Amino acid sequence: DSGVTQTPKHLITATGQRVTLRCSPRSGDLSVYWYQQSLDQGLQFLIQYYNGEERAKGNILERFSAQQFPDLHSELNLSSLELGDSALYFCASSTGGRETQYFGPGTRLLVL
Amino acid sequence: GQNIDQPTEMTATEGAIVQINCTYQTSGFNGLFWYQQHAGEAPTFLSYNVLDGLEEKGRFSSFLSRSKGYSYLLLKELQMKDSASYLCAYTTDSWGKLQFGAGTQVVVTP
């Protein structure tokens, strides 16, 4: 158990819908990272927050957005969902910088 | 990841040694990580190299050569539970975002 929690564990929805994935980092960690893992793309970095502020952006679609709240939990919002958005979404946390990232159990999203 | 390469699959026998190679190309480099991932589960941290050389941690060791853009993960005394995907990842900035390779699936046979 890494200490990072993610909810929900599984999510099934339809194309065009919007969903919110939630992540709580390890106690003491200020940095949260979101990654997407699909069969054909591997693990892809989406976005990073540090102490409430966006610090780095990767291959995140405009339909996706995220935020980190004052209590340091983070939410990833996915809208206008497409079939290709079906993937495992992982959240990771660290104390910041180049420190080791610890991954949560992931949310498996299936878009039908 | 398009700038990071590792073999797709390796098979080895229980008790043996396996070496997983990883090569990368990047203009900036701030460290290399190895993670283990069992199917459908979260990646778990194995090792981190920022300086050239060998880091040993129990049955697992990791090596880095920054000048060659090369790293390897050495798994010794293989156990059945070591069957998993091993992900190589580098970070290029001080904020730590990771660029992952596609992973090497290691299959341990009895």
Side-chain angles (χ1 to χ4, degrees), chain A residues 16 39 49 52-53 56 65 74 76 78 91:
Chain A
L39 282 174
Y49 282 83
E53 291 192 17
S65 65
S74 178
L76 178 67
L78 316 176
C91 165

Side-chain angles (χ1 to χ4, degrees), chain A residues 33 37 48 97-98 100-101 104, chain B residues 30 35 37 42 45 94-96:
Chain A
Y33 306 76
Q37 187 174 39
Q48 179 206 359
R98 290 165 285 171
T100 300
Q101 294 176 32
Chain B
N30 263 317
Y35 282 83
Q37 187 179 26
F45 169 74
S94 59
W95 290 106

Side-chain angles (χ1 to χ4, degrees), chain B residues 12-101:
Chain B
T13 309
E14 199 173 8
I17 299 173
V18 71
Q19 178 175 314
I20 307 168
N21 295 324
C22 171
T23 56
Y24 61 89
Q25 288 184 316
T26 177
S27 54
F29 178 82
N30 263 317
L32 191 124
F33 291 82
W34 284 95
Y35 282 83
Q36 179 193 61
Q37 187 179 26
H38 287 97
E41 297 183 10
T44 55
F45 169 74
L46 290 178
S47 70
Y48 170 55
N49 295 70
V50 64
L51 300 175
D52 287 359
L54 188 68
E55 293 281 341
E56 296 188 82
K57 196 187 282 189
R59 295 189 298 116
F60 294 171
S61 303
S62 58
F63 171 84
L64 176 67
S65 168
R66 289 174 301 172
S67 62
K68 295 181 179 173
Y70 168 71
S71 174
Y72 69 72
L73 180 70
L74 196 68
L75 284 63
K76 296 177 249 185
E77 300 168 21
L78 278 171
Q79 301 175 10
M80 299 299 290
K81 67 179 181 179
D82 297 329
S83 290
S85 183
Y86 291 84
L87 307 169
C88 173
Y90 65 78
T91 181
T92 59
D93 61 31
S94 59
W95 290 106
K97 69 176 184 186
L98 293 172
Q99 178 75 40
F100 279 92

Side-chain angles (χ1 to χ4, degrees), chain A:
Chain A
D1 184 354
S2 67
V4 180
T5 60
Q6 288 186 251
T7 57
K9 195 164 184 174
H10 301 277
L11 202 47
I12 302 175
T13 189
T15 54
Q17 294 299 304
R18 172 190 167 95
V19 296
T20 298
L21 313 184
R22 183 188 168 104
C23 166
S24 292
R26 294 186 320 157
S27 176
D29 283 357
L30 298 177
S31 201
V32 168
Y33 306 76
W34 286 98
Y35 293 87
Q36 178 193 55
Q37 187 174 39
S38 56
L39 282 174
D40 58 344
Q41 293 284 337
L43 256 175
Q44 299 284 320
F45 168 76
L46 295 177
I47 197 164
Q48 179 206 359
Y49 282 83
Y50 179 81
N51 203 21
E53 291 192 17
E54 182 185 306
R55 288 297 181 186
K57 225 168 183 176
N59 302 321
I60 187 165
L61 300 170
E62 284 192 15
R63 300 183 285 110
F64 295 2
S65 65
Q67 54 184 324
Q68 186 179 29
F69 294 87
D71 67 353
L72 300 176
H73 90 271
S74 178
E75 293 180 357
L76 178 67
N77 301 297
L78 316 176
S79 61
S80 303
L81 284 167
E82 302 175 0
L83 296 178
D85 297 328
S86 296
L88 258 172
Y89 290 85
F90 287 106
C91 165
S93 77
S94 77
T95 53
R98 290 165 285 171
E99 298 304 313
T100 300
Q101 294 176 32
Y102 294 90
F103 283 76
T107 292
R108 186 176 292 278
L109 174 66
L110 181 60
V111 183
L112 301 174

